[in-house]
């Protein structure tokens, strides 16, 4: 007998064990290249005003050789942040109650794989990532949400035999959940 294990149980996984280090943007002080600082709002973590810096399109890496020592220390001492499963769990709590919602919430609490979480033009996301034809539950309301909004958020969550599609309206409306059988990878 062939048994296919899709997701191995993660008995020690929890939101608290999966918390992530705080993240900060990277920047350099104008006229002083070679040392990256952690940007936090209007200042670096070591206290330099943002108006004297140039920001980069990547995150500050505390243990990189070019990282400011004081920014490194403050970044490492910063509180951790919720993992992607915990953040999505908080959003899904706002959705309509039902069995599918409860299954998704339970899956997220067990560390379900959030394959994708993206925001953008509804038509593009629907075409590239929604796969409505593969959904067996909730496809209609999910497709309607895409059709009625110019921009939208979308999350694909995989757990056990299911792929959940979470539609995240940008207008603050409640998320819409759909699901279908999970395909082979």
């Amino acid at each position: 007998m062939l048994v296919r294990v899709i997701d191995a149980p993660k008995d020690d996984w929890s939101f608290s064990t999966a918390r992530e280090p705080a993240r900060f943007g990277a920047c350099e002080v104008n006229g002083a290249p070679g040392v990256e600082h952690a940007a936090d709002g209007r200042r670096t973590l070591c206290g330099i005003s943002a108006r004297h810096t140039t920001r980069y399109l990547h995150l500050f890496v505390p243990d990189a050789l070019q990282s400011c020592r004081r920014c490194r220390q403050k970044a490492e001492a910063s509180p951790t942040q919720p993992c992607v499963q915990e953040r999505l769990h908080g959003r899904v709590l706002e959705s309509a109650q039902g069995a599918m919602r409860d299954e998704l919430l339970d899956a997220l609490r067990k560390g379900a794989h959030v394959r994708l979480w993206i925001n953008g033009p509804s038509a593009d996301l629907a075409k590239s990532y929604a796969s409505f034809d593969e959904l067996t539950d909730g496809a209609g309301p999910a497709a309607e949400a895409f059709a009625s909004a110019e921009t939208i958020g979308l999350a694909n969550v995989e757990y056990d035999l299911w792929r959940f599609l979470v539609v995240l309206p940008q207008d603050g409306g409640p998320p819409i959940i759909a699901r279908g059988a999970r395909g082979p990878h």
Side-chain angles (χ1 to χ4, degrees), residues 2 11 21 32 41 54 60 66-67 92 106 108 115 122 127 131-132 144 150 155 162:
L2 177 65
D11 295 332
T54 300
F60 177 74
Q66 72 272 17
S67 295
V92 171
D106 186 54
L108 290 167
R115 178 165 291 287
S122 299
K127 180 180 173 185
S131 304
F132 296 118
E144 288 175 23
E150 191 173 318
W162 298 107

Side-chain angles (χ1 to χ4, degrees), residues 74-90:
K74 291 190 179 220
E76 290 172 346
S78 295
T80 57
Q81 300 175 338
C83 62
V84 67
Q85 290 88 349
E86 185 176 358
R87 293 191 312 267
L88 187 56
H89 184 276

Side-chain angles (χ1 to χ4, degrees), residues 116 121-134 143 146-147 152 154 156 165:
L116 176 73
S122 299
D124 294 344
L125 295 184
K127 180 180 173 185
S128 300
Y129 303 109
S131 304
F132 296 118
D133 58 327
E134 297 174 6
F146 274 88
I152 207 153
L154 167 150
N156 277 319
L165 171 69

Side-chain angles (χ1 to χ4, degrees), residues 37-112:
H37 296 267
D40 184 21
R42 295 189 271 196
R43 307 189 85 63
T44 64
L45 293 185
C46 66
I48 300 167
S49 172
R51 69 175 182 223
H52 300 295
T53 67
T54 300
R55 290 192 181 218
Y56 294 111
L57 293 176
H58 64 265
L59 295 175
F60 177 74
V61 180
D63 59 352
L65 291 175
Q66 72 272 17
S67 295
C68 165
R69 181 179 48 83
R70 288 179 52 210
C71 286
R72 173 187 305 135
Q73 292 168 343
K74 291 190 179 220
E76 290 172 346
S78 295
T80 57
Q81 300 175 338
C83 62
V84 67
Q85 290 88 349
E86 185 176 358
R87 293 191 312 267
L88 187 56
H89 184 276
R91 293 291 309 272
V92 171
L93 284 172
E94 302 166 9
S95 65
Q97 292 189 12
M100 196 167 26
R101 172 188 181 252
D102 293 343
E103 289 175 30
L104 177 56
L105 289 171
D106 186 54
L108 290 167
R109 284 190 294 269
K110 292 178 180 175

